[in-house]
Amino acid sequence: MNKSLFAIASLILLGLAQSAIAAGDYNDVPSSDPQYKQCLAYSSKTYEGGDAPSPVAGQTKAAAYCECMWNETPDNFKGDLAKFAETAAGKKTNGICEKYSNWGG
């Protein structure tokens, strides 16, 4: 009985965590942040569909993607977020952010 309750509670918590991510719970990026601005510029120049609405209220797919990349990379990362996503090291982060923004693969 206790194992069943634990399993149910775990599933509920997992569902809540996933819905929190889908709701846009990342830290907001300052609109003047150079990495974020660079990500938006590179993404709009290189990829299509970034101006479409994302699942995050009030954000385009590109804005949600770049916000995710900005939050998912380490604080000491100083490079180009969108170009990092195209590398082998950035593949996992790219997948997370494509799913978050509903944009891409």
Side-chain angles (χ1 to χ4, degrees), residues 6-29:
F6 179 75
I8 291 170
S10 296
L11 289 173
I12 290 171
L13 289 174
L14 179 63
L16 290 174
Q18 287 177 340
S19 65
I21 288 174
D25 279 350
Y26 278 120
N27 293 324
D28 290 336
V29 181

Side-chain angles (χ1 to χ4, degrees), residues 2 13-14 17-18 25 28 40 47 59-60 67 72 99:
N2 284 340
L13 289 174
L14 179 63
Q18 287 177 340
D25 279 350
D28 290 336
L40 289 174
Y47 303 106
Q59 283 189 329
T60 64
E67 180 180 76
E72 289 289 336
K99 184 174 180 180

Side-chain angles (χ1 to χ4, degrees), residues 83-93:
K83 287 183 180 180
F84 170 71
E86 296 172 346
T87 68
K91 186 176 181 178
K92 180 178 178 185
T93 306

Side-chain angles (χ1 to χ4, degrees), residues 65-102:
Y65 178 83
C66 290
E67 180 180 76
C68 175
M69 288 298 296
W70 187 85
N71 278 278
E72 289 289 336
T73 55
D75 289 342
N76 64 352
F77 181 80
K78 301 298 180 206
D80 186 314
L81 297 169
K83 287 183 180 180
F84 170 71
E86 296 172 346
T87 68
K91 186 176 181 178
K92 180 178 178 185
T93 306
N94 181 59
I96 291 168
C97 295
E98 282 183 346
K99 184 174 180 180
Y100 175 77
S101 64
N102 192 26

Side-chain angles (χ1 to χ4, degrees), residues 40-57:
L40 289 174
Y42 181 83
S43 296
S44 68
K45 183 173 59 174
T46 309
Y47 303 106
E48 294 179 6
D51 291 331
S54 77
V56 182

